[in-house]
Amino acid sequence: MRLFEGTPFDRPPHCDVCEQPETDCSCPPPEEPTVDGLRLNVRRTAKIAVEKRKRGKVVTTVRGLPADENDLAGLLGRLKAACGAGGGLDGDVLEVQGNQRDRVKTVLAGLGFRVAVRT
């Protein structure tokens, strides 16, 4: 007997539109989600942390948002403008100068992201 046998979790994933299994679905792919003009996948969880760098500099980092599913450059610009600080993009990691944890959390939550803050 399987763990979820006989429960709704036992069935394979189905299409929300045609109710067919995802392997048999012939529906067109959904449009790319956009939030205020940015292409974002808000189903991901943004992990915010404050890190100390060389010479005592503090940086707020946002991890967990893959670059192929999100417009990270546009999102970084929005975060920098909201915080009034500089920053940069290091691979898939957004960096904003200073301890901007609360402002970054507010902006990301306002865009619809799930946010996890590491203290």
Side-chain angles (χ1 to χ4, degrees), residues 43-61:
R43 293 182 181 164
R44 297 288 185 142
T45 300
K47 298 173 184 92
I48 302 172
V50 176
E51 299 176 358
K52 196 168 185 180
R53 299 286 170 89
K54 292 187 214 176
R55 300 181 190 149
K57 302 294 182 184
V58 177
V59 176
T60 303
T61 61

Side-chain angles (χ1 to χ4, degrees), residues 30-52:
E31 293 182 21
E32 294 216 0
T34 59
V35 177
D36 295 336
L38 294 174
R39 184 179 58 86
L40 302 174
N41 183 353
V42 295
R43 293 182 181 164
R44 297 288 185 142
T45 300
K47 298 173 184 92
I48 302 172
V50 176
E51 299 176 358
K52 196 168 185 180

Side-chain angles (χ1 to χ4, degrees), residues 4-5 17 22 24 27 32 43-44 46 57-58 62 65-66 68 91-92 99 108 117-118:
F4 293 108
E5 186 173 357
V17 178
E22 285 184 353
D24 300 335
C27 297
E32 294 216 0
R43 293 182 181 164
R44 297 288 185 142
K57 302 294 182 184
V58 177
V62 180
L65 304 176
D68 58 339
D92 289 351
N99 186 350
L108 291 177
V117 179
R118 191 178 85 195

